[in-house]
Amino acid sequence: MMQHYEFVNRKGITKRIFNLLVVVSFLTILFSCNSTDDDLFNEEEIIQKDAKIEDLAGAWSIYKVASNGNEASVPATTEECGRDFFIYNSSGTYEEFLYQESFTCQPVQNKLKWTLNNGIITLSTIDNSNSDIIKIVNLSKDNFVFIASLDTDGDAIKEEFTFTAYQYLAPNETDLYSSTFERKHEEPFENHIEFGWDAYDGYNMFEKYEIYRSGKDCNIDSATLLKTITDGNLNTFIDEEPLPNSEACYFLKIYTNKGLLGESDPRYINPEFIFPENVLFKNAEVIENEISLSWEKYSGYYFSHYEIRVQDQNENSAPKIESVKIITDINTTTFTDTNPPYVNNPIYSIYVYNIFGNISNLNDEKSIVETAFTRPELLDVDYIKYLSFDAEDQSFFFYLRNTKNEPRLVKYDYIKQEITAEAFKLPTSYTEVEMKLINSENGKELVFSQSDDLFIYDAETLNYKYSLAASYRAMGSFDYFDDNIWVLSDSDDVFTYKRDGDQFVQIDKKPHFPDHQGGQNYEITKLDKNNFFLSHNNEGRAIHYSISDAGEITNNGIKEIPLKFKYNSDVSVNTRSSYLLNKKRNTVYSLDDFSKTVTYSTPIVTSNFSKNGTEIYGTNNDPEVYDNHKNFKKEIIVYSILNKNFRTIATKGFPLYVTEDNFGNIISLSSGFPRDSYYDGYNGNVADMFVEIIK
């Protein structure tokens, strides 16, 4: 049959073209010699006015064509595919199926609309822009004879033809659709699971699509039916509720009135690569000591929670980042940080997590916001090389590098939160010997080791006074005892010196360990005004020395105490409790008989004794135990030596050095973000240390 009406406007003339391919070729061959141009549909033609829609509905194929008394048979289009055919659907749609190739036998499909009135079929385009008519001569359940017109010779004059069609059983349809079932990966589909496929366009009656999902075993037999789609033009599917944290496989089935047309192979989905979209900050406002944030509501798929993070201003290395808040309500779009970190101008970022555990990519411009919040109590410090604590004067002495990488030696009053003194003559030689605050007959002084000299600073003003010169080089350790007597060590000997103003006069000298140990210093640990230990990490033991009132040294033998140091202060003594504390080994010894009193596991990192020597201050923030500081806490741990238990006290920052002053206050040098230590020299020139009074 004239399996398609096309209406093409050429030079203002609307032409009707019947794409009857095979039929047209036969008409041209058979009737070109004797065809005449007649007036169409003359009054003598017999029209079956009582033709019924139910008889017309169905599939037909043209078997004969006649004109001017001549009749010809219309053969199958191809041997492999069969005949062209057309369908009148009772819904009012007309479809034709024309085979133009025999490889897939997938016909070209064309659609029109149709109506029937008194034996006249009106065919029109979908948009009703053009139409034409066909006259029914005879219509029954199996036979359909009709008259139509066709311009076969291109002279613009239509000729009348009679077509005979029979009911046609279309061949089994080839599934060309299920293989096109694929997940969409390109934007904007990356953040969810959406599939698309070619819509059914076949010659049977479409019934439904079915989408199934199985586990990662990709077994269709155990798959769950997710959705049934009865609209043939709806050829997309979004899984709104996928399996959380699980791989899955998806399938498509297509059904027509003939049954199952086809089933896709499984489409494997790994949710590891499905990321949520970013959300955008709308506002960040500083209100007194709080920071108020607001953002746009997440509009994507598979929401799990928001995460608010804060970071410092580190531009030279990886910034310090802390998670501030997890919000599981998608409709919550505001948050107030009532305890901003101890850094200036903290930067906040917002992330979205989906149910697969994946996090949104950070959009630097819109998902990050820098605030104007500042902490006036922050020290202008990148790291502190050495510190000394004045419990009486409630001050720290810091030898530090500021955020401009400049060395400074300062005195800091933590009550007033200000620097009260600064040394303008700085140490010039690198040293691994800690500076010490010494209270002697010469007053309170800060002493700094410089090769074979000791730089002396006035502790009140930090004015440089003079240097005390020893009679040897490469000093390992030093301490003051009594009556202007000092003890010093090097790699071979221990020495006593008498100080007379700015003069150092050697009194005595005794050898220590016979083996020369590399690395670290030979450390002096003052036990009381007449006794001290000399030890080294690699020795695993200590030599007990005593000093006479005149400064003469006596070797009292080896004590099997394996003291461990990084710096001299890693071993400290409390004469009130008669305890010696080895901080690096978490061990307490008795000063009476040097026996082990207690070994503890908490705190992991030890800072100091309490003033009365019955408690130990520290933290569990050990970078060697907790990689990347992930379990660091803002708290100190107070361990009772007598009761062998501990308690925790919350802090504002991450404690780095904890001690007690003479007024019963627990003092912590803390950082706004976790760091290994106060002498960690890799903080990116960001100020984040401050002193807090815990009680």
Side-chain angles (χ1 to χ4, degrees), residues 437-451:
L437 182 65
I438 301 292
N439 198 356
S440 70
E441 296 81 357
N442 295 280
K444 195 179 293 185
E445 298 170 320
L446 188 68
V447 183
F448 210 111
S449 172
Q450 288 286 276
S451 187

Side-chain angles (χ1 to χ4, degrees), residues 140-157:
S140 65
K141 291 289 187 180
D142 303 314
N143 191 61
F144 176 28
V145 181
F146 57 94
I147 298 173
S149 60
L150 185 67
D151 177 12
T152 62
D153 51 15
D155 60 0
I157 299 175

Side-chain angles (χ1 to χ4, degrees), residues 268-296:
Y268 170 80
I269 298 297
N270 187 342
E272 177 184 357
F273 304 105
I274 299 174
F275 297 95
E277 296 176 342
N278 297 316
V279 292
L280 310 179
F281 270 123
K282 294 169 60 178
N283 188 44
E285 184 178 5
V286 177
I287 304 174
E288 295 182 349
N289 289 324
E290 300 179 346
I291 299 175
S292 177
L293 305 170
S294 63
W295 58 91
E296 295 180 356

Side-chain angles (χ1 to χ4, degrees), residues 578-648:
S578 293
Y579 286 144
L580 179 149
L581 173 61
N582 192 174
K583 303 174 186 178
K584 291 297 182 181
R585 295 193 183 277
N586 288 7
T587 304
V588 178
Y589 297 90
S590 168
L591 291 180
D592 297 331
D593 57 7
F594 307 124
S595 63
K596 184 187 297 184
T597 301
V598 66
T599 297
Y600 55 91
S601 58
T602 301
I604 299 174
V605 178
T606 299
S607 281
N608 284 292
F609 275 125
S610 62
K611 291 297 290 184
N612 62 14
T614 61
E615 293 182 323
I616 295 170
Y617 301 134
T619 75
N620 278 347
N621 299 340
D622 187 348
E624 295 183 3
V625 175
Y626 298 119
D627 187 33
N628 295 323
H629 313 112
K630 61 182 179 181
N631 290 317
F632 276 33
K633 294 181 179 179
K634 296 177 181 179
E635 65 180 23
I636 67 166
I637 296 173
V638 182
Y639 178 79
S640 171
I641 299 173
L642 300 178
N643 298 324
K644 297 180 175 58
N645 58 17
F646 65 88
R647 69 185 191 277
T648 61

Side-chain angles (χ1 to χ4, degrees), residues 420-684:
T420 56
E422 179 169 5
F424 292 98
K425 178 178 176 57
L426 296 176
T428 56
S429 299
Y430 176 81
T431 179
E432 285 294 330
V433 181
E434 286 181 295
M435 66 183 187
K436 288 187 177 183
L437 182 65
I438 301 292
N439 198 356
S440 70
E441 296 81 357
N442 295 280
K444 195 179 293 185
E445 298 170 320
L446 188 68
V447 183
F448 210 111
S449 172
Q450 288 286 276
S451 187
D452 57 344
D453 289 348
L454 295 177
F455 277 20
I456 308 298
Y457 294 88
D458 183 280
E460 183 65 27
T461 63
L462 283 185
N463 288 334
Y464 173 76
K465 298 171 67 174
Y466 41 75
S467 67
L468 298 174
S471 58
Y472 66 97
R473 308 189 69 83
M475 185 184 304
S477 182
F478 70 90
D479 210 337
Y480 169 75
F481 281 70
D482 191 30
D483 192 24
N484 276 317
I485 294 177
W486 295 64
V487 177
L488 289 76
S489 71
D490 67 7
S491 58
D492 297 300
D493 304 292
V494 291
F495 306 83
T496 52
Y497 280 80
K498 184 79 170 182
R499 177 182 174 186
D500 183 9
D502 62 353
Q503 299 298 310
F504 236 9
V505 178
Q506 182 176 321
I507 302 173
D508 199 1
K509 170 184 174 182
K510 289 291 190 295
H512 52 67
F513 297 104
D515 296 330
H516 287 269
Q517 301 292 351
Q520 305 301 323
N521 293 320
Y522 286 87
E523 300 289 356
I524 295 167
T525 300
K526 179 181 176 181
L527 304 177
D528 57 35
K529 67 177 184 177
N530 295 111
N531 292 274
F532 69 92
F533 280 158
L534 192 285
S535 55
H536 189 283
N537 281 351
N538 296 340
E539 286 290 344
R541 55 189 178 157
I543 301 176
H544 178 205
Y545 293 97
S546 59
I547 309 172
S548 68
D549 291 341
E552 295 172 338
I553 304 172
T554 301
N555 185 332
N556 298 314
I558 297 291
K559 303 298 179 183
E560 296 300 329
I561 298 181
L563 300 180
K564 185 179 181 180
F565 298 83
K566 178 177 176 64
Y567 294 117
N568 183 263
S569 61
D570 289 331
V571 176
S572 62
V573 170
N574 188 286
T575 55
R576 292 172 62 179
S577 61
S578 293
Y579 286 144
L580 179 149
L581 173 61
N582 192 174
K583 303 174 186 178
K584 291 297 182 181
R585 295 193 183 277
N586 288 7
T587 304
V588 178
Y589 297 90
S590 168
L591 291 180
D592 297 331
D593 57 7
F594 307 124
S595 63
K596 184 187 297 184
T597 301
V598 66
T599 297
Y600 55 91
S601 58
T602 301
I604 299 174
V605 178
T606 299
S607 281
N608 284 292
F609 275 125
S610 62
K611 291 297 290 184
N612 62 14
T614 61
E615 293 182 323
I616 295 170
Y617 301 134
T619 75
N620 278 347
N621 299 340
D622 187 348
E624 295 183 3
V625 175
Y626 298 119
D627 187 33
N628 295 323
H629 313 112
K630 61 182 179 181
N631 290 317
F632 276 33
K633 294 181 179 179
K634 296 177 181 179
E635 65 180 23
I636 67 166
I637 296 173
V638 182
Y639 178 79
S640 171
I641 299 173
L642 300 178
N643 298 324
K644 297 180 175 58
N645 58 17
F646 65 88
R647 69 185 191 277
T648 61
I649 303 175
T651 56
K652 296 177 181 178
F654 294 93
L656 300 170
Y657 179 90
V658 186
T659 189
E660 183 181 358
D661 66 19
N662 287 357
F663 303 92
N665 299 311
I666 299 177
I667 308 302
S668 175
L669 172 65
S670 302
S671 61
F673 284 97
R675 55 190 295 167
D676 291 354
S677 64
Y678 61 81
Y679 47 80
D680 175 14
Y682 303 97
N683 201 50

